[in-house]
Amino acid sequence: MSLPPFQHLVDEHWRDVARLANGLVGPVHADDVAQQAWTRALAAYPRLTHARNLRSWLLTVTHRCAMDHHRAARRTTPHEDPAVLAEAPVVDPPTPPDDGLWARVAALPPRQRDAVVLRFVGDLDHRAVAAALGTSPGMSRRLVSDALAALRLDLTDPEDLR
């Protein structure tokens, strides 16, 4: 079994990896997560035993890098000296394309948010979403369904209709 050259994967799937990283960690850290995913994929590529669905494999690597990023962000502690923080420049975060929708997606429970992003931003089927999340396809369907139901409830909130 021969794998295609790694550059072929990069040329074919770089946009999908970047979109998924952006959906999972936001535009501020998306480039870092995507770069980490490509680095890990390159290191693991020679050990692959099959060439079936390499896109899904790349998106799974990207999802795991995003989860590592979230875990690392939780472990960071604030700086002890407030004077150092006062000297730091203030940078406004970039605004997402649809503030209302992405704010609601960000407010979902983490597993539902990951399932929705993998399904609709990553354009994966439920089997690939399940593989990325480490669940069954039925559970991935349930996570996506529950997330969409919660988003629909938010969108039909009476305060939104005013």
Side-chain angles (χ1 to χ4, degrees):
M1 196 260 339
S2 66
L3 295 170
F6 190 75
Q7 184 61 45
H8 176 72
L9 285 179
V10 174
D11 293 342
E12 192 171 328
H13 301 295
W14 70 269
R15 191 165 298 165
D16 297 329
V17 169
R19 282 180 48 199
L20 181 60
N22 188 37
L24 290 173
V25 298
V28 174
H29 300 288
D31 290 339
D32 295 335
V33 169
Q35 183 64 39
Q36 184 181 19
W38 284 114
T39 303
R40 285 187 187 177
L42 178 61
Y45 193 65
R47 296 187 308 266
L48 284 179
T49 58
H50 59 80
R52 293 184 314 263
N53 206 354
L54 292 173
R55 177 180 180 269
S56 179
W57 173 74
L58 283 170
L59 295 179
T60 300
V61 171
T62 305
H63 177 260
R64 290 180 180 159
C65 289
M67 293 305 99
D68 290 346
H69 170 78
H70 287 298
R71 287 184 193 112
R74 281 192 306 235
R75 287 191 301 261
T76 60
T77 57
H79 200 281
E80 298 294 325
D81 185 12
V84 173
L85 294 176
E87 296 172 5
V90 177
V91 178
D92 293 330
T95 58
D98 184 356
D99 293 339
L101 177 62
W102 284 110
R104 288 179 175 100
V105 171
L108 289 171
R111 295 202 23 106
Q112 288 182 7
R113 180 185 59 237
D114 293 346
V116 166
V117 168
L118 288 167
R119 177 67 183 98
F120 295 106
V121 177
D123 195 28
L124 298 178
D125 62 6
H126 287 290
R127 184 172 296 161
V129 171
L133 295 177
T135 64
S136 67
M139 185 61 184
S140 77
R141 280 187 174 82
R142 181 62 188 214
L143 288 168
V144 171
S145 175
D146 289 349
L148 292 177
L151 291 171
R152 283 187 196 107
L153 282 176
D154 284 349
L155 290 175
T156 58
D157 189 23
E159 291 182 16
D160 289 343
L161 299 176
R162 291 183 199 171

